[in-house]
Amino acid sequence: EGLSKSSKLFERISAEAIKEYITCEARILGWPKNEHQTLKDQIDSFSKDIKENFVEPPLSEKKDDTVDIIAWKSFRDNRCSQIVILAQCAAGRNWKTKLSSLRLERWKQYIHWACPPIKGFMVPRIISQREWYESAVDAGILFDRVRIYNLLGNRKLDKNFKIELIQWCKKELARLDS
């Protein structure tokens, strides 16, 4: 439960960071976001929202198919062809194994994009300068701890979300002290 809570909070922080970066809309996708909505339903709904063509559903066992956040910057004309970022969040210790796991080719099977999406990768760590380039080649636009902090450090967050983050931090600090 603790890891799941941490991961979900990190996804929310990451969505806020992307929204700040390109002044866009963002949606947290997948599992366990909404037990009542399948990944197919989420992708279908998203494609309608951005006026792209839904093609075929993912296999039913795909929880989120490595995409945790979809972010997009639409034009006011309500037509397709816009900036779309498909981002993966890797909050665990095995983040390096996830660098190249997001497969845009698969997402092109689900949605017939007028303009191909770009990959993003969110990690609550500092990626060293030595590893930066190779990580970016594999994962797309990198959002590490430094970038996320720089994007959100002075931004006002939703009051309830801020309270939830503070409570989580206090609990984690207490756990570290014990």
Side-chain angles (χ1 to χ4, degrees), residues 8 17 20 43 49-50 52-53 61 65 87-88 94 97 100 107 109 111 113 117 130 133 138 140 153 157 160 174:
K8 288 297 158 212
E20 185 70 17
I43 294 171
D49 290 349
I50 65 165
E52 297 284 0
N53 294 319
E61 61 268 13
D65 205 359
Q88 181 176 28
N94 64 339
T97 64
S100 58
W107 282 84
Q109 289 177 247
I111 297 175
W113 307 93
R130 185 177 65 75
Y133 180 81
D138 288 338
L157 295 175
N160 292 331

Side-chain angles (χ1 to χ4, degrees), residues 95-140:
W95 67 273
K96 288 182 183 180
T97 64
K98 295 183 176 189
L99 284 168
S100 58
S101 63
L102 197 160
R103 311 290 299 194
L104 289 180
E105 297 79 28
R106 260 209 309 267
W107 282 84
K108 289 175 185 174
Q109 289 177 247
Y110 310 150
I111 297 175
H112 186 205
W113 307 93
C115 179
I118 54 178
K119 295 188 335 182
F121 190 78
M122 321 298 289
V123 62
R125 304 184 146 49
I126 297 172
I127 300 175
S128 73
Q129 193 61 38
R130 185 177 65 75
E131 296 176 301
W132 188 264
Y133 180 81
E134 292 296 323
S135 296
V137 168
D138 288 338

Side-chain angles (χ1 to χ4, degrees), residues 21-86:
Y21 177 55
I22 60 171
T23 315
C24 67
E25 296 185 61
R27 184 178 297 173
I28 296 172
L29 188 69
W31 180 89
K33 179 187 178 279
N34 183 345
E35 311 84 43
H36 307 293
Q37 197 177 36
T38 65
L39 180 59
K40 175 208 175 285
D41 293 338
Q42 292 176 66
I43 294 171
D44 186 37
S45 171
F46 166 73
S47 66
K48 285 180 175 123
D49 290 349
I50 65 165
K51 310 302 182 235
E52 297 284 0
N53 294 319
F54 178 78
V55 180
E56 73 177 66
L59 297 174
S60 59
E61 61 268 13
K62 300 284 184 194
K63 293 178 182 173
D64 59 20
D65 205 359
T66 68
V67 172
D68 297 303
I69 300 166
I70 298 178
W72 68 98
K73 185 171 179 98
S74 296
F75 292 92
R76 292 185 195 154
D77 63 10
N78 207 23
R79 296 185 288 177
C80 66
S81 181
Q82 60 230 308
I83 294 172
V84 176
I85 297 176
L86 302 179

